[in-house]
Amino acid sequence: MSAPRHRRPGYRLSLLLIRAIGLLVPRWRRADWRREWGAELWHYGDAETTKDTNGAPGAPRTALLQRSLGSVRHAIWLRRRDWRQGMFRNDVRYALRNLIKTPGFTALAIATLAVGIGTSTAVFSLVNGILLQPYPYAEPERLVRLRSVVEESGDAVNVSFPDFLDLAAGSTRIAQLAAVDREPYNLGGGETAAYVQGAQVSASLFEVLGTPLLLGRGFQPGEDVPGGPNVVLLGEALWRASFAADPAIVGKQVSIDAEPYTVIGVVPVGGGYPDEAALWVPLRIDPGAQRRGNRWANVIARLAPGATLAQAQAEASALAEALAAEYPDTNAGVGVRLISLYDSRTGDFQAMMALLLGAVGFVLLIVCANLANLMLTRAVSRERELAVRAAMGASRLRIVRQLTSESALLAAAGAGLGLLLGTWTVRILVAMVPVAIPEWVDFGIDGRVLAFAAGVSALAVLLFGLAPAVGASADLGRALKETAAQGTGTVRKRRTRAALVVAEVALSIVLLVGAGLMISSLLRVAAVDPGYDTERSFMLTTAFADANYGAPEQRLDFYRQARDRLLALPGVAAVGGIAQPPLRGGWNFMDFIADAPAAAEGATAGAFAHAVTPGYIAAAGIELRRGRDLRDTDSAPGAPEVALVNDVLAERVWPGEDPIGKRIRFGYMDENAWIEVVGLVGGTRQVSLEEAPAPEIFYPYERWASFYGRVTWMVRAAGEPAAAMSASREVIRDLDPDQAVYDLMSLQAAVDESIWDVRFFTTLFWIFGAVALLLAAVGIYGLVAYGVSQRTHEIGVRMAMGARSGDVLGMVLRHGLLLAATGAALGFAGALGLASLLAGALYQVSPTEPVVYLGVALLLGLVALAASLVPALRATRVDPVVALSGGPRA
């Protein structure tokens, strides 16, 4: 018997397409859907074949295929309808109801997830603000900083003004350069006098930055020359705070250092340089009066269009070699280094921020492992429920979807709480930073941070929700065959939960070792002797207004009056002054030549040159090892030039000799102008506690008074300095109400501020390590407690056969400690890798510091013992009669 006319190849192919497309249809409707579409194709094919066949050959077959492809829309519609009704209504409602039924589990899961998302969001907010936020300049990738480099030591210092001019004139790969000098100013006068951090800048600065001004104009050529007009650019923050954001401020005059300055413009937030400056005035420098060996200028530049940093560096190096050949006394052995503005600002933080992101990633993994363990444990208790649902027709995908819905709800709640926690944490972390943060840096929650939080939440659902859900949905038929008393889960699941706890312990060990190394490093840094009396000495700074103190004699007269009044304060033992305070970034690095055999060979050296007054050495608590301190008579007209040097310079220039009576001269001095060394002092830390003392020269402030517009008073108290600190401010203000006093702080505060970054990152690592250890302890406790509850029958049998409580206690404790030991073995191996990455941030601490590793091992052992002890004690109280009769579990 022949087949019907419509049963041709087109029909069979269409039927295969229908079966394949049917996979898109929900499982519970798939069979009916395929039957309906099979009947549809049968009748449609029959109708097509009975039509007039005068058309093209194969036309009925093409029509059947087109008809079968039309089923795709129907299948997708059913799938979407099923998902809408299930996922977004039934599944979510059912998941919410299940979570409400177990408030303890739900609260613990949300809190744990909030900790993970909160810490990761907080750290990413810091990374976003410091490393990812775009700079508010035009084409910031073309901005670079120029530094002079002492080739012998590798120290990078500022650039001398003559070198700056020569580099600007000879560069083709650099479009424009600008010189910047940070300076403090007195804004206003009398009771309203306030300290304002500002900067003297060459007229080209804002062209180099490419900053469009908020109001007015920038500096023009000719305004940055001696005798130029008194004009000023105000920062937006200062304009709003001190001038009520007056839009008519341009053209008005303000009092700066008791002189009238005309406001020519307002710089938007973040549009200026350096970051801490609140106002800018022209750098009116006479090039002929500048010393080539005096390197004070902070130079910023913009690369020429199309030029690369490497090309500009090669050109600058060639120019530096030419300058060294032309000016060997000051430039021999001095090179030029170019560094991008981004790297100059973030170079110290890039590696540490990457490590912090890795650390917070570990915390998030521990959180996910903990939650996955909770979800697996909960799923075991629901095996029969899930098996019944499967027996009633629920597909495995539906069950996975249901369990994943619960995880998604937990992740959503944890993400919301985590964002709040992260915002709060960022505020606390930023408040811990003692230095000024640039106004344009924003650590708030922006789109990038929200996207990160959403991505972390989705990853968390995938890690702690989806995998356990898939595992819980497998082998559901077995659950129906087990009795309630035997539903202990498979060995594989128990091993999975144990593996998760081991992973938690291993990750926490890595973080704890990192935190321990950082803490050890911080303790070593904090124990460094800075060379000062940090307990009793304090400092305060005043800036001289040129209108009142333009002549050196006027500045010295004010200094002497202030010194006498400060010395008269009760409890003050010594008073002295220095032009640039220690550990505050205001140092002056100068070339010098020593009257030594090395000098005869034309060798020059560099040292920190401090302009100090008599009494400074005693006031700062610096050790005077030999010779004498400076005296007032050393600056008298006709008096011989004298100075003090530190032991680092003496040992480097006159090794093994007594430096008293030796001679040196600065690079700018005549060949016959020598300075006699009259005192030897101990070395002091100038840049940071982590950098060893460098050569230092202490020269009379009186001889350089015309070059410095400020003085930092160093005061040493006989006892507790608090009372003298509060009184010293009033002494200066009584002497001159127009003098703003700033940076009033103890030397200990200055030392602490210099190591804020080490303390900050150490605190973060310590927090992450503590959180990781707590989560690992919770994981050990949960797994051991669950194991005890599942082994109640076995424990009852053991005790009925004569096992003592101590035997049961030891059995349970061994289980918990074995988990910790296994995790520790893996963790210490991983910690060695982290320690090698931390090596560059550690101070006098080996990455394999045995004390740290032993301390972490001891701490972990105690925590694991404590976490296992509670369920172990509970196991010893199991009643054998109740356990063997299938009664309540322990």
Side-chain angles (χ1 to χ4, degrees):
M1 182 177 178
S2 62
R5 288 176 297 170
H6 59 277
R7 287 203 171 182
R8 56 184 66 203
Y11 173 77
R12 296 181 184 277
L13 180 59
S14 299
L15 198 60
L16 288 175
L17 281 175
I18 289 297
R19 294 193 62 82
I21 295 169
L23 296 175
L24 298 174
V25 178
R27 182 180 175 186
W28 62 281
R29 302 193 59 170
R30 191 173 301 158
D32 291 340
W33 183 87
R34 283 172 172 165
R35 281 194 296 270
E36 290 176 5
W37 272 92
E40 172 72 15
L41 291 179
W42 181 286
H43 293 291
Y44 184 77
D46 186 63
E48 287 295 316
T49 53
T50 56
K51 288 182 179 179
D52 185 13
T53 57
N54 292 332
R61 178 172 56 187
T62 303
L64 275 174
L65 290 175
Q66 291 176 347
R67 188 69 172 177
S68 62
L69 290 176
S71 65
V72 174
R73 182 183 300 177
H74 186 208
I76 293 175
W77 179 82
L78 287 175
R79 169 60 66 183
R80 291 178 59 190
R81 183 168 177 266
D82 181 67
W83 277 38
R84 280 199 305 268
Q85 292 177 348
M87 177 69 81
F88 299 107
R89 189 173 63 209
N90 295 340
D91 286 358
V92 172
R93 184 170 58 190
Y94 185 72
L96 186 60
R97 187 163 60 242
N98 279 334
L99 293 176
I100 293 175
K101 286 181 180 179
T102 53
F105 163 81
T106 303
L108 179 61
I110 291 176
T112 304
L113 192 57
V115 169
I117 293 178
T119 53
S120 59
T121 301
V123 170
F124 184 78
S125 296
L126 295 177
V127 173
N128 180 47
I130 295 174
L131 301 183
L132 303 181
Q133 207 165 76
Y135 287 173
Y137 309 125
E139 298 181 279
E141 66 279 1
R142 290 172 54 196
L143 293 176
V144 297
R145 281 191 64 191
L146 273 74
R147 308 293 304 277
S148 294
V149 180
V150 181
E151 295 176 351
E152 181 181 357
S153 62
D155 294 332
V157 295
N158 285 332
V159 181
S160 70
F161 196 74
D163 286 351
F164 160 74
L165 295 178
D166 290 338
L167 289 170
S171 298
T172 59
R173 300 292 184 180
I174 296 176
Q176 231 172 356
L177 291 86
V180 179
D181 185 28
R182 296 170 65 252
E183 285 293 335
Y185 293 99
N186 299 299
L187 182 64
E191 293 298 326
T192 61
Y195 156 73
V196 174
Q197 179 62 57
Q200 301 179 54
V201 301
S202 52
S204 57
L205 174 66
F206 289 95
E207 293 182 15
V208 170
L209 298 175
T211 302
L213 297 187
L214 201 63
L215 295 173
R217 64 170 178 85
F219 298 122
Q220 295 177 347
E223 291 179 336
D224 59 348
V225 296
N230 283 357
V231 291
V232 62
L233 286 168
L234 302 177
E236 181 181 352
L238 179 64
W239 171 59
R240 295 186 183 279
S242 300
F243 302 98
D246 181 8
I249 190 68
V250 176
K252 292 185 178 180
Q253 290 188 336
V254 297
S255 175
I256 299 177
D257 282 351
E259 289 189 82
Y261 275 72
T262 302
V263 178
I264 62 172
V266 176
V267 180
V269 169
Y273 181 87
D275 293 324
E276 62 272 19
L279 61 83
W280 295 263
V281 298
L283 180 64
R284 292 177 292 197
I285 295 292
D286 179 7
Q290 287 295 303
R291 303 160 181 166
R292 191 172 290 273
N294 187 6
R295 296 181 169 85
W296 56 264
N298 182 353
V299 178
I300 186 171
R302 178 174 289 274
L303 298 179
T308 65
L309 183 62
Q311 293 171 341
Q313 177 64 68
E315 182 183 61
S317 297
L319 290 172
E321 291 177 3
L323 291 175
E326 187 174 356
Y327 307 101
D329 288 347
T330 58
N331 287 60
V334 178
V336 176
R337 180 183 301 165
L338 272 64
I339 181 172
S340 70
L341 182 61
Y342 175 83
D343 287 337
S344 73
R345 281 173 162 172
T346 65
D348 295 336
F349 301 106
Q350 291 176 10
M352 193 55 67
M353 284 296 181
L355 287 173
L356 278 181
L357 278 178
V360 82
F362 279 11
V363 172
L364 189 62
L365 287 175
I366 294 172
V367 165
C368 291
N370 218 324
L371 288 174
N373 231 330
L374 285 174
M375 298 292 287
L376 280 172
T377 303
R378 187 165 181 264
V380 168
S381 65
R382 298 177 63 188
E383 275 188 340
R384 291 185 59 80
E385 170 205 339
L386 299 177
V388 170
R389 294 189 65 194
M392 296 181 66
S395 66
R396 183 180 179 186
L397 178 61
R398 181 62 181 268
I399 292 175
V400 169
R401 197 178 68 190
Q402 175 62 60
L403 296 177
T404 306
S405 298
E406 297 180 12
S407 301
L409 285 178
L410 292 173
L417 187 59
L419 276 175
L420 293 177
L421 179 63
T423 303
W424 176 68
T425 303
V426 166
R427 290 176 182 172
I428 294 178
L429 294 177
V430 172
M432 289 170 53
V433 178
V435 297
I437 297 176
E439 296 171 347
W440 57 272
V441 175
D442 183 15
F443 294 109
I445 304 297
D446 60 8
R448 196 181 287 113
V449 175
L450 286 175
F452 175 82
V456 167
S457 302
L459 179 64
V461 171
L462 190 65
L463 291 177
F464 82 82
L466 185 58
V470 172
S473 65
D475 234 0
L476 289 173
R478 177 191 53 78
L480 285 176
K481 301 175 184 178
E482 295 178 346
T483 63
Q486 294 173 333
T488 59
T490 63
V491 174
R492 180 179 57 83
K493 290 183 179 179
R494 289 199 299 270
R495 288 177 178 172
T496 300
R497 290 193 293 273
L500 288 172
V501 173
V502 168
E504 289 183 51
V505 173
L507 292 172
S508 65
I509 285 290
V510 174
L511 292 181
L512 284 171
V513 169
L517 292 173
M518 292 291 290
I519 291 172
S520 297
S521 178
L522 175 61
L523 293 176
R524 299 279 176 89
V525 172
V528 169
D529 180 10
Y532 310 101
D533 182 355
T534 58
E535 294 183 2
R536 294 181 293 167
S537 296
F538 65 91
M539 61 185 183
L540 66 154
T541 303
T542 60
F544 294 119
D546 287 342
N548 300 329
Y549 304 96
E553 294 77 13
Q554 293 174 306
R555 298 180 182 182
L556 294 176
D557 182 61
F558 176 83
Y559 150 70
R560 294 188 181 100
Q561 293 185 57
R563 178 192 62 185
D564 294 340
R565 294 195 184 191
L566 288 171
L567 274 172
L569 289 175
V572 171
V575 174
I578 183 170
Q580 296 161 315
L583 295 171
R584 302 288 292 164
W587 50 80
N588 188 15
F589 197 83
M590 294 187 66
D591 296 329
F592 74 93
I593 300 172
D595 187 12
E601 300 171 6
T604 60
F608 287 113
H610 306 302
V612 300
T613 69
Y616 171 78
I617 299 298
I622 301 174
E623 181 184 2
L624 181 61
R625 296 187 173 177
R626 196 170 302 145
R628 66 172 177 86
D629 194 359
L630 298 176
R631 301 168 182 164
D632 288 336
T633 55
D634 290 332
S635 301
E641 302 265 10
V642 297
L644 282 71
V645 300
N646 72 345
D647 53 0
V648 179
L649 184 149
E651 186 61 30
R652 185 172 299 179
V653 179
W654 306 290
E657 300 182 39
D658 186 353
I660 304 301
K662 301 292 186 181
R663 300 188 303 173
I664 60 173
R665 62 181 172 87
F666 291 109
Y668 66 87
M669 290 181 167
D670 294 335
E671 292 184 0
N672 297 321
W674 291 100
I675 304 170
E676 181 183 354
V677 176
V678 297
L680 177 70
V681 300
T684 62
R685 310 276 170 154
Q686 290 297 314
V687 180
S688 72
L689 294 184
E690 298 171 89
E691 295 193 20
E696 296 174 278
I697 300 173
F698 296 86
Y699 191 69
Y701 175 89
E702 290 84 349
R703 295 192 181 276
W704 281 348
S706 60
F707 298 104
Y708 291 104
R710 63 188 174 195
V711 62
T712 293
W713 307 98
M714 195 68 66
V715 182
R716 187 180 185 188
E720 175 60 39
M725 287 180 68
S726 60
S728 61
R729 182 192 297 270
E730 299 305 320
V731 166
I732 304 297
R733 296 303 298 268
D734 288 344
L735 189 60
D736 185 353
D738 291 335
Q739 286 285 357
V741 177
Y742 61 97
D743 280 352
L744 176 58
M745 64 173 66
S746 67
L747 268 182
Q748 184 59 56
V751 168
D752 292 341
E753 188 174 296
S754 71
I755 59 172
W756 75 267
D757 52 343
V758 179
R759 194 181 303 274
F760 179 79
F761 290 118
T762 300
T763 301
L764 287 181
F765 267 98
W766 179 85
I767 292 173
F768 293 155
V771 170
L773 184 63
L774 177 62
L775 292 173
V778 171
I780 293 174
Y781 169 80
L783 185 63
V784 174
Y786 182 76
V788 168
S789 68
Q790 296 300 305
R791 298 175 68 182
T792 301
H793 185 78
E794 174 194 343
I795 293 172
V797 171
R798 287 175 178 269
M799 297 187 73
M801 295 181 67
R804 295 174 298 178
S805 298
D807 298 329
V808 175
L809 183 68
M811 178 187 69
V812 177
L813 288 179
R814 280 195 301 272
H815 179 53
L817 293 178
L818 179 61
L819 290 173
T822 306
L826 296 174
F828 282 127
L832 291 174
L834 174 65
S836 64
L837 296 177
L838 279 175
L842 300 177
Y843 178 76
Q844 295 184 355
V845 174
S846 169
T848 57
E849 190 77 18
V851 175
V852 172
Y853 287 80
L854 289 174
V856 170
L858 179 61
L859 178 62
L860 175 68
L862 293 175
V863 169
L865 181 64
S868 305
L869 189 59
V870 174
L873 291 175
R874 185 184 303 168
T876 62
R877 294 194 293 268
V878 170
D879 187 344
V881 176
V882 175
L884 293 175
S885 64
R889 297 183 179 184

